[in-house]
Structure formats: structure tokens, C-alpha cells
Amino acid sequence: MSEPAIHLSHVRKEYAGGAVAVGDLTLAVASGEVMCLVGPSGCGKSTTLRMVNRLVEPTSGTIHVNGADVMAQDAVQLRRSVGYVIQHVGLFPHRTVSQNASTVPGLLGWDRAQTQARVDELLELVGLPRDVYGDRYPHELSGGERQRVGVARALAVRPPVLLMDEPFGAVDPQGRRRLQKEFLALQRSLGTTVMMVTHDMREAVLLADRIAVLSAGGVLEQIGTPEAVTTKPANAFVRDFLAEFDAA
Ligand code: ADP
């Protein structure tokens, strides 16, 4: 196997006060793969994701992104090079769609023409053509459209790795399915490696190449294709987790 795009090795996170969010997690995401982290609330999914771009500093263990140790990099530079999309997308309310999507290229000092061309391309790809949406402000968009801007913003600098934390969680169910499908098509065409946290097993089954099921303390209970996880749960924990979901 070629070098994984994201590689966590014996990673531990103990928050101040002693809570062990993640005990000893080893996990590799292949280049171009969509890996979904699922598991009950509080099991360490977001902590795991946020250690990859150092929004949370691991207590011990190592994390490599495309072969480079994240701890050896400048945290700010790292965060600009790794895409990050969260549930409430955090658009700047007083900046237009185009300006929001230009944020990271601007921070990286891209020239205007290069930025504009890339933002045009991305807005088109996420279904928000600049001539219609570019000059709107976030409050003039639907929830789903705001998430699209968040995705465009995160992809603007062609990050090799995209981290997503409940990215479509705030979008109504119908809009969410459409966004998920569109996102998958976009991911496939760009080949971006994705690590995504979701509590929505349907979302994981739809989007993931592999699903990682975690239990409290970031314990990896099973990792496998959606088919393997849903048809051959590795143990009682995974079976119960799936059953709860089926009942919902
Ligand atoms: P999940 O994303 O699976 O819901 P989290 O990674 O958010 O789980 O949280 C894992 C555990 O770490 C939980 O017990 C949570 O209360 C704790 N935790 C998360 N963030 C902090 C923090 N900043 N300080 C202390 N404890 C935290």
C-alpha cells in the first residue's frame, strides 16, 4: 500500500482535568479515500479529527499528513493547508460569498487573478455560480447553500486532505441527501482525501469508502467498508450501535 494520506499512530489525548478522550488510537486513511468516523456522542470523534490539524494537541503518539509529522509543522500553516468544514460553517457575515470563498487563498498570498479564477471554478462546482451568488451575503443563502460555500472555501487551495465535522448536520434532510451526493461526486473528481465525523450512519454508508466505529475513549471497534460493517459487525458493541441506529 502506498503511504497513507493521514496516519495516526498510538495517539492519545488527555484533556486538562484528566478526561481521556482518546486512549491509544492507530488509524490510517489512504490517499483519495473517504473515511467516516462514527460512534456514540463523546467517544472522541471530534477530538481525533481536530488533532489532525492541531486544533487539539495530542498528548502522545504521532500524526502524519502525507508523510509529514504534524507536530513538526507550524500549526497555522498546517491549518491553512488542510481543509476543515464544520457544521455551522462559520462564514464571515459581512463578507460576500466570493470573499468568503477567497479567504484562504488571500491568507496564502495568492494573486487576485489566480484567486478569482479558482473561486469561480469552485463556486461553479458546488452549484453556486459567481454571477448569481458571488455578491450575496451569508444571510441571503439557505442553510444548504451556506454549507456549499463552506465546502468551496475549504477546497479553494486544493488541500490534499479535508477534515469534516458533521458537515451537513445543520441542513434539512432532503437538502442533506442532495448535498451528500454532490459532495461525493466532487470528492471523486478532485481525489481529495477526507476524514469525516458523523453521527448519521446513513451518511457514513453513503459517503465512506471505509467506516471507523469508535467507542468511548476513541477505541477502534471496527474498521471496514460500509458493507462489511453493516453486514458483519465485529462485536456486540458495533451490533448494538447499528441496532440503535436502525431503530431511530
Ligand atoms: P465526540 O466527537 O465523539 O462527540 P469529543 O471528541 O467531542 O467526542 O469528546 C470526547 C470526550 O472528551 C468527551 O468526554 C468530552 O466531554 C471530552 N472533551 C472534549 N473536548 C474537551 C475539552 N476541551 N476539555 C475537556 N474535555 C473535553
Side-chain angles (χ1 to χ4, degrees):
M1 188 174 115
S2 60
E3 180 180 69
I6 305 173
H7 192 194
L8 288 77
S9 181
H10 297 291
V11 169
R12 176 180 181 85
K13 176 60 189 182
E14 199 173 325
Y15 283 108
V20 178
V22 176
D24 179 1
L25 179 62
T26 294
L27 187 67
V29 185
S31 183
E33 182 177 35
V34 178
M35 165 86 66
C36 284
L37 307 182
V38 303
S41 179
C43 72
K45 303 183 294 296
S46 292
T47 298
T48 299
L49 194 76
R50 292 156 66 92
M51 286 193 287
V52 176
N53 65 358
R54 289 183 56 191
L55 285 170
V56 171
E57 301 280 355
T59 308
S60 58
T62 56
I63 301 175
H64 288 81
V65 172
N66 288 329
D69 184 344
V70 299
M71 296 309 288
Q73 298 172 50
D74 177 74
V76 172
Q77 297 240 334
L78 173 73
R79 269 173 232 141
R80 285 177 190 168
S81 69
V82 171
Y84 185 51
V85 179
I86 55 176
Q87 180 166 352
H88 296 288
V89 66
L91 299 179
F92 298 109
H94 303 299
R95 304 185 74 191
T96 65
V97 166
S98 294
Q99 288 166 340
N100 268 287
S102 309
T103 306
V104 183
L107 289 169
L108 293 179
W110 287 21
D111 71 44
R112 277 185 61 161
Q114 189 189 13
T115 300
Q116 180 145 352
R118 179 64 179 151
V119 166
D120 281 357
E121 180 188 6
L122 251 306
L123 288 178
E124 193 73 42
L125 277 174
V126 298
L128 300 174
R130 181 200 280 273
D131 52 354
V132 181
Y133 290 94
D135 295 331
R136 292 202 197 168
Y137 288 88
H139 75 269
E140 298 171 308
L141 303 174
S142 71
E145 287 166 348
R146 280 198 288 272
Q147 277 320 95
R148 287 163 201 253
V149 179
V151 170
R153 182 176 63 180
L155 291 174
V157 295
R158 298 181 204 278
V161 165
L162 181 61
L163 307 175
M164 307 183 92
D165 197 340
E166 300 278 2
F168 310 123
V171 181
D172 65 273
Q174 220 182 342
R176 192 182 314 160
R177 295 295 164 235
R178 224 177 83 200
L179 260 182
Q180 287 164 339
K181 287 190 186 132
E182 289 172 7
F183 172 74
L184 193 58
L186 185 59
Q187 184 274 336
R188 291 295 187 241
S189 71
L190 299 174
T192 313
T193 304
V194 177
M195 189 186 250
M196 179 185 297
V197 167
T198 178
H199 68 269
D200 178 353
M201 192 64 193
R202 283 191 195 93
E203 178 163 273
V205 168
L206 180 72
L207 297 182
D209 294 302
R210 286 188 303 158
I211 295 174
V213 185
L214 303 181
S215 63
V219 174
L220 186 58
E221 298 287 348
Q222 185 169 4
I223 184 163
T225 62
E227 197 198 346
V229 171
T230 52
T231 62
K232 296 193 193 73
N235 55 34
F237 177 87
V238 177
R239 219 171 10 254
D240 291 351
F241 179 71
L242 293 172
E244 245 173 75
F245 191 80
D246 281 342

